[in-house]
C-alpha cells in the first residue's frame, strides 16, 4: 500500500463499519450514488468482502489510524459482490468506521437523478434526510439536517432517525401518516441531538424509492 498523489478521488465513496483487526467482517454503512452504480449490492448492512478480498486492502483497513489516508492498488477481487480491480483510497474515520474512495475522474463523475436530488436539497435551507421506511436508517442527509442534529455526516449515516425522536413510536407514527402518493401532515416531536440537547421540531415525511429500497424523505423544521 502507498500514498498516491496522482490519483483523483472525486465521487464513489462508501463508509464501512469494521472492528479493529476484523476487516474481513466489515459491513457497509453508506455509499454515495456513484459507488452504488459501480456496486449494485451496495446496500446498508451488506458484507463488504468475499473470501478472496485483497490482503493489502484488509491490512490497510485493519491498520489505518483515525485521520490517516492511504491508496491501495487492488488486484482482481470481490468487493460487495462485484469483481473489482483498481486503486482505492482508504481513510480512517475513527469509531470503527472506514471510508473507501474509488478513483473517479471529476469530469466523468456520474450525474444521475439521485446525485442531482442530493445537490438540490443540500442547497436549500430545509433539514432533509432520506431514511429507510423499515427501521429509520439514515441513508442520506443534507447540511441543514446535520446542523439540527449537531453531528457530522459520518456520525449520522447508518444510524436510526427513530432514535432521535424523543417520543416513543414517533417515527412509526410519522411513516404511517404518509402513503405512496401523499405526504404526511407536520408532526410535532422533541428531537434529541447527538449532544443530548432536546429541541422541538415539526417533522413531515413523503415516501419514495431510493437506491432500490422503500424510503421516505423526512423534513424537519424548528419549533411547533
Amino acid at each position: 500500500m502507498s500514498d498516491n498523489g496522482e490519483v483523483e478521488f472525486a465521487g464513489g465513496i462508501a463508509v464501512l463499519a469494521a472492528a479493529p483487526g476484523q476487516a474481513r467482517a466489515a459491513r457497509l454503512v453508506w455509499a454515495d450514488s456513484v459507488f452504488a452504480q459501480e456496486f449494485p449490492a451496495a446496500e446498508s448492512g451488506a458484507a463488504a468482502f468475499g473470501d478472496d478480498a485483497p490482503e493489502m486492502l484488509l491490512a490497510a483497513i485493519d491498520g489505518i489510524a483515525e485521520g490517516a489516508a492511504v491508496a491501495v492498488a487492488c488486484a482482481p477481487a470481490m468487493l460487495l459482490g462485484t469483481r473489482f480491480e483498481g486503486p482505492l483510497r482508504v481513510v480512517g474515520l475513527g469509531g470503527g468506521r472506514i471510508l473507501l474512495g474509488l478513483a473517479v475522474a471529476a469530469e466523468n463523475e456520474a450525474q444521475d437523478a439521485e446525485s442531482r436530488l442530493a445537490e438540490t436539497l443540500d442547497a436549500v435551507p430545509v433539514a432533509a434526510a432520506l431514511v429507510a421506511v423499515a427501521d429509520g436508517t439514515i441513508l442520506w442527509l443534507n447540511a441543514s439536517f446535520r446542523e439540527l442534529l449537531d453531528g457530522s455526516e459520518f456520525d449520522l449515516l447508518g444510524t436510526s432517525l427513530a432514535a432521535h425522536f424523543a417520543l416513543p413510536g414517533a417515527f412509526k407514527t410519522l411513516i404511517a401518516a404518509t402513503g405512496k402518493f401523499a405526504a404526511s401532515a407536520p408532526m410535532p416531536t422533541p428531537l434529541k441531538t447527538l449532544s443530548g440537547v432536546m429541541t422541538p421540531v415539526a417533522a413531515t415525511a413523503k415516501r419514495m424509492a431510493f437506491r432500490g429500497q422503500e424510503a421516505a424523505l423526512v423534513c424537519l423544521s424548528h419549533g411547533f
Side-chain angles (χ1 to χ4, degrees):
M1 76 187 73
S2 62
D3 288 315
N4 187 343
E6 297 179 358
V7 177
E8 289 189 68
F9 292 81
I13 296 171
V15 177
L16 306 180
Q22 299 294 319
R24 193 174 292 279
R27 295 276 170 177
L28 182 72
V29 173
W30 170 85
D32 71 2
S33 60
V34 177
F35 196 98
Q37 283 183 338
E38 187 77 20
F39 300 95
E43 296 182 359
S44 179
F49 305 117
D51 293 335
D52 62 345
E55 292 300 328
M56 291 180 68
L57 179 57
L58 295 176
I61 291 173
D62 279 337
I64 196 78
E66 182 175 353
V70 295
V72 181
C74 294
M78 297 297 288
L79 173 61
L80 285 159
T82 299
R83 199 75 174 172
F84 175 78
E85 179 178 11
L88 285 172
R89 177 72 73 184
V90 180
V91 181
L93 300 177
R97 296 196 175 189
I98 306 295
L99 182 145
L100 294 185
L102 300 176
V104 180
E107 64 270 21
N108 295 327
E109 185 176 352
Q111 295 294 321
D112 60 10
E114 288 177 9
S115 62
R116 289 194 297 271
L117 171 66
E119 289 173 4
T120 300
L121 292 177
D122 219 16
V124 299
V126 173
L130 286 160
V131 305
V133 166
D135 56 7
T137 297
I138 299 173
L139 307 172
W140 175 88
L141 69 167
N142 71 357
S144 296
F145 204 97
R146 296 193 296 269
E147 290 174 6
L148 192 57
L149 281 175
D150 194 23
S152 72
E153 186 173 34
F154 300 115
D155 290 327
L156 296 165
L157 285 170
T159 65
S160 176
L161 176 60
H164 295 287
F165 285 170
L167 298 179
F171 177 76
K172 288 185 177 180
T173 300
L174 177 66
I175 295 302
T178 181
K180 292 185 177 180
F181 303 104
S184 70
M187 184 188 78
T189 179
L191 185 76
K192 184 178 181 180
T193 69
L194 288 184
S195 57
V197 175
M198 291 289 187
T199 183
V201 299
T204 59
K206 173 68 172 69
R207 296 198 187 208
M208 60 188 299
F210 184 71
R211 293 178 189 159
Q213 61 182 302
E214 190 178 5
L217 176 64
V218 176
C219 297
L220 304 178
S221 58
H222 285 282
F224 53 80

